[in-house]
Amino acid sequence: MFCYQCEETARGTGCTTRGVCGKSEEIAGLQDTLIYICKGIAVRYVAAMNSGERNREASPFVAESLFATLTNVNFDPAYFHAKIAEAIAIRDALPQAGKSEPDACRWIPKNDADIAAKAQEIAGAASAGDDLASLRALLVFGLKGVAAYYYHAAALGYTDAGIESFMHRALASTVTTLSPGAMTELVLECGGVGVTTLALLDKANTTHYGNPEITSVKTTVGTKPGILITGHDLKDLQQLLDQTAGTGLDVYTHGEMLPAHAYPAFKKYPHFIGNYGGSWPHQGIEFESFNGPILVTTNCIIPPRDSYRDRIFTTGPAGFSGVAHIAGSRGGAKDFSEIVALAKTSTPPVPTGNGRDLITGCGHDAVLRIAGTVIDAVKKGEIRRFVVMAGCDGRQSEREYYTKFAEALPKSAIILTAGCAKYRYNSLELGMIGGIPRVIDAGQCNDCYSLVVIAQVLARAFGVGINELPISYNIAWYEQKAALVLLALLNLGVKNITLGPKLPAFVSPGILKVLVNNFGIAPNTTVEADMARLVPVP
Ligand code: SF4
Ligand code: SF3
């Protein structure tokens, strides 16, 4: 196997025997071959599209397949075997794309050995380390981000033909011969499609659930048994809240589900009582002490401990071998009665964390409502700098850097965040500036669009370009949604982004040079050195 898609990849170069995340060689091979057949679907889809035909099944299928291969989403061989069979059926139902189709359009594995052999071939090409392999990886990983965000928007009924056709065009490009220049353009275009997709998801979420309001979320526990929901899927949450209303159970969020408390539609459920625990790397201990069932809707799931293996459930694209899965069509009705029944026999959660409330819900609408106060505070010099510290959390102790960086920021700096990176500093006492929280949490990584809107509004208010604003970027990445957000920022023309804890292994020296020269991307270093660079004393 060869996988280097996440920040924690082995030795900073690539996982070759087993993933640091727990991905086995078998799963890696199944994921790689599923994507390979999706590339075949894409080639045929593009050809069909060019001759005016459309296939409605192909796009949602490819989006879900890409999403399932994102880090920490699905570790279930049965899921991938079924998807590979479905992929072949979808591909083969599309008209052939001419006589010289790439192998991805024709390949049919006869058995597991065929899959393993093809996986080895794919891994060999991916590990080449040249600029073309790097650009292809960057594009596919960016597409995984697009696919994840699009999956959620589509689940709420928001689709977009432009996003779908780009997904196919870009995937198809990775099995045809394009010049590095043309590939670079596609990679940057992927960032633009990322912005469109994030905007679509924002519309889907806010139309369905209302605009998030700045909200203080309890982290203490109640006396009743509870259900813990994690991941990013708001529709799953909605159905769970409906099905648990009046049952005497409490519902808590974990990790990336925390910002759901800020939506007006979810505030009306009195049994939706708070957030339990922190970000995904802590789930081993926290799921254990939660005592009740846990519903994992998307990333990040890590190999479950025996202590809670029989009370963890996956749904949607998430999966883990041996873990119960709640089925349901994409965006359709789901039956969580098994989880509800189990919760009724559980004991209440054991308290965790420092019990401090967490503030979230600072989406674009909520921040624009206080924009006058923010702009005044900037003019008066009370706010001197905004630092975007969005992105992911991770396992390694080196991520303490982000806690220390947040603590070391001058009191006149505001953190703008989204994603699970915030758990490194969102329970610190960082205070307020004139009633404005010093950590402006726009929500999940899925809500990064809000940060773009906020930056654009500030740029307009001060009559400057986005790079002239007093905003610095110190972004923490882990998985491929963060890779897409980075491409989205580059597409918007944002310069001088600091990225860490390590730069992506899939960026070759040649491509890194382009990113450094054209966009000023830099790795993070020490808190002191980065503070001097990112938050200069005026
Ligand atoms: Fe390794 Fe990350 Fe790939 Fe898992 S997702 S196999 S940790 S590079
Ligand atoms: Fe987190 Fe997995 Fe990236 Fe959604 S939940 S930001 S890592």
Side-chain angles (χ1 to χ4, degrees):
M1 69 179 275
F2 181 77
C3 182
Y4 60 172
Q5 66 176 354
C6 83
E7 193 272 341
E8 293 186 1
T9 194
R11 300 169 299 279
T13 53
C15 297
T16 51
T17 49
R18 188 179 178 82
V20 173
C21 60
K23 183 156 95 176
S24 65
E25 179 150 32
E26 180 194 14
I27 297 286
L30 289 165
Q31 292 188 351
D32 287 353
T33 46
L34 172 60
I35 292 181
Y36 187 69
I37 303 166
C38 285
K39 290 177 179 179
I41 293 178
V43 170
R44 289 190 172 181
Y45 186 96
V46 171
M49 208 166 58
N50 291 342
S51 56
E53 290 180 49
R54 291 211 45 196
N55 175 303
R56 303 212 171 272
E57 247 322 278
S59 301
F61 175 83
V62 170
E64 184 185 331
S65 298
L66 286 171
F67 191 2
T69 67
L70 193 128
T71 300
N72 290 345
V73 174
N74 198 308
F75 297 81
D76 183 6
Y79 173 92
F80 288 108
H81 276 294
K83 284 284 165 209
I84 286 173
E86 210 182 323
I88 292 169
I90 290 175
R91 182 194 66 187
D92 293 356
L94 283 162
Q96 289 187 7
K99 287 204 172 60
S100 52
E101 285 185 315
D103 177 66
C105 295
R106 306 276 172 109
W107 178 70
I108 297 178
K110 286 184 223 51
N111 48 37
D112 288 354
D114 274 359
I115 292 178
K118 180 59 77 183
Q120 218 173 346
E121 190 185 310
I122 297 168
S127 62
D130 53 71
D131 292 350
L132 194 59
S134 175
L135 284 167
R136 284 179 171 161
L138 199 46
L139 188 54
V140 172
F141 300 155
L143 281 175
K144 290 191 186 195
V146 169
Y149 295 138
Y150 190 62
Y151 174 94
H152 290 296
L156 293 173
Y158 283 75
T159 56
D160 181 299
I163 295 169
E164 292 184 1
S165 58
F166 177 78
M167 200 167 61
H168 292 290
R169 199 157 49 83
L171 259 190
S173 78
T174 64
V175 284
T176 47
T177 321
L178 277 190
S179 67
M183 279 300 290
T184 307
E185 272 176 35
L186 265 178
V187 168
L188 291 178
E189 194 181 343
C190 186
V193 174
V195 179
T196 310
T197 315
L198 282 163
L200 184 74
L201 178 56
D202 180 82
K203 195 168 168 205
N205 286 341
T206 54
T207 308
H208 272 261
Y209 306 118
N211 273 306
E213 298 157 352
I214 300 179
T215 301
S216 192
V217 182
K218 292 264 168 258
T219 65
T220 47
V221 297
T223 53
K224 298 175 188 164
I227 297 174
L228 190 59
I229 178 166
T230 189
H232 304 73
D233 201 296
L234 298 182
K235 187 149 190 186
D236 288 335
L237 172 66
Q238 183 200 340
Q239 297 193 52
L240 181 68
L241 288 171
D242 281 337
Q243 293 175 35
T244 46
T247 57
L249 299 169
D250 288 330
V251 174
Y252 297 80
T253 52
H254 185 269
E256 276 286 68
M257 204 54 94
L258 159 72
H261 290 279
Y263 286 94
F266 300 134
K267 288 188 174 184
K268 66 176 197 229
Y269 296 95
H271 66 298
F272 188 36
I273 68 163
N275 189 71
Y276 187 82
S279 60
W280 68 270
H282 307 282
Q283 67 189 251
I285 294 169
E286 292 167 353
F287 289 1
E288 195 166 291
S289 62
F290 183 72
N291 290 332
I294 305 122
L295 176 62
V296 181
T297 63
T298 63
N299 55 312
C300 282
I301 183 169
I302 62 176
R305 295 180 178 187
D306 290 343
S307 57
Y308 60 83
R309 186 180 278 268
D310 57 356
R311 55 181 168 86
I312 183 168
F313 297 77
T314 58
T315 191
F320 202 97
S321 168
V323 161
H325 185 82
I326 308 289
S329 60
R330 288 177 211 114
K334 290 182 182 172
D335 177 4
F336 295 124
S337 54
E338 197 185 336
I339 300 180
V340 173
L342 180 60
K344 286 181 177 166
T345 66
S346 307
T347 49
V350 175
T352 183
N354 62 16
R356 268 189 210 136
D357 290 0
L358 301 175
I359 295 175
T360 188
C362 311
H364 54 81
D365 181 78
V367 174
L368 296 198
R369 282 172 197 276
I370 56 166
T373 316
V374 174
I375 290 163
D376 278 352
V378 174
K379 285 184 179 157
K380 284 195 240 153
E382 291 164 1
I383 298 176
R384 290 182 183 273
R385 175 101 355 209
F386 298 89
V387 186
V388 176
M389 291 180 69
C392 308
D393 198 8
R395 296 174 173 88
Q396 316 106 317
S397 56
E398 65 192 292
R399 287 190 188 249
E400 280 163 16
Y401 161 93
Y402 294 102
T403 311
K404 293 194 179 126
F405 192 88
E407 285 172 326
L409 279 169
K411 299 272 176 285
S412 57
I414 294 255
I415 295 173
L416 297 173
T417 194
C420 63
K422 62 174 155 276
Y423 281 101
R424 289 280 164 180
Y425 45 79
N426 68 348
S427 64
L428 301 175
E429 293 276 18
L430 294 179
M432 305 247 188
I433 300 178
I436 305 158
R438 280 194 57 222
V439 178
I440 294 204
D441 173 21
Q444 302 178 336
C445 57
N446 294 23
D447 302 307
C448 277
Y449 179 68
S450 272
L451 300 182
V452 170
V453 175
I454 292 166
Q456 286 171 337
V457 166
L458 287 175
R460 268 201 300 278
F462 292 107
V464 296
I466 214 154
N467 289 306
E468 279 76 57
L469 283 169
I471 300 185
S472 307
Y473 296 80
N474 193 1
I475 290 178
W477 82 286
Y478 170 59
E479 34 77 343
Q480 300 78 57
K481 288 196 247 179
L484 175 70
V485 171
L486 177 70
L487 293 181
L489 291 174
L490 299 185
N491 181 276
L492 291 167
V494 174
K495 299 250 166 52
N496 302 323
I497 295 170
T498 294
L499 188 64
K502 281 195 286 292
L503 291 181
F506 52 82
V507 172
S508 66
I511 303 304
L512 183 62
K513 210 162 145 198
V514 174
L515 292 176
V516 171
N517 292 346
N518 295 352
F519 299 101
I521 285 196
N524 68 335
T525 57
T526 63
V527 169
E528 297 70 30
D530 293 343
M531 194 63 72
R533 194 165 48 85
L534 297 172
V535 190
V537 180

